[in-house]
Amino acid sequence: MKILIVSAVESELSALRLETILVSHEFYPLGIGFLEAAINLYHKLNSETFDLVIFTGTIGAYPNSGLSIGDVVTTFDHHLVGVASHLNQAYFPSLTENYLHIENKLETSLKSVPIATVLEITSNDDLALMVEKKQH
């Protein structure tokens, strides 16, 4: 099985390079941001065939998530969020898909959690809690 393991930047892949026991795999940094990642992934998949693509990376956690630094998780729901939209100061255009349910077909003992890709990072715990509540 030929596996492509991707992340935004090389530093997120470097630890995996040291730990992996996979034989037929390739690591590939996609870049930061939706557009750069989409274009780079398109080019990679257009030039080579893979049986499986695994997205990896680092994440933050909501204050009451129960997650700790160093936890490894998988996801089943992915939300695109903007803090300004939660404050009713902005909105996503109606044609923008900002939710994706992920059918994880890998058998794993990892904790599965919903994730959010935020357009900006907040340092305010109260605001983070408000965003978290709107995801459920």
Side-chain angles (χ1 to χ4, degrees):
M1 176 181 279
K2 189 173 177 185
I3 301 171
L4 178 64
I5 302 170
V6 299
S7 189
V9 293
E10 179 60 40
S11 61
E12 293 177 325
L13 295 170
S14 59
L16 292 175
R17 286 183 196 278
L18 298 174
E19 299 293 327
T20 187
I21 57 172
L22 300 171
V23 175
S24 183
H25 64 283
E26 182 178 341
F27 293 99
Y28 189 69
L30 295 175
I32 298 173
F34 299 114
L35 186 57
E36 184 178 5
I39 290 170
N40 288 331
L41 183 59
Y42 167 80
H43 287 299
K44 187 67 172 174
L45 295 179
N46 201 34
S47 65
E48 295 181 58
T49 301
F50 295 90
D51 299 302
L52 177 66
V53 177
I54 299 174
F55 288 86
T56 66
T58 56
I59 62 170
Y62 292 118
N64 295 322
S65 67
L67 297 176
S68 300
I69 293 173
D71 286 353
V72 178
V73 298
T74 185
T75 188
F76 57 89
D77 281 330
H78 182 257
H79 299 266
L80 173 63
V81 298
V83 174
S85 65
H86 287 287
L87 296 173
N88 295 321
Q89 295 176 359
Y91 65 93
F92 287 102
S94 60
L95 297 176
T96 303
E97 185 66 44
N98 62 343
Y99 170 78
L100 176 65
H101 177 73
I102 299 167
E103 291 185 42
N104 190 341
K105 297 181 181 179
L106 297 175
E107 292 185 27
T108 179
S109 60
L110 295 175
K111 181 178 181 179
S112 189
V113 299
I115 64 169
T117 297
V118 294
L119 300 175
E120 63 274 322
I121 298 171
T122 179
S123 58
N124 180 304
D125 285 349
D126 292 333
L127 185 54
L129 287 169
M130 183 179 72
V131 171
E132 177 187 24
K133 287 177 186 175
K134 287 196 174 189
Q135 300 310 307
H136 301 290

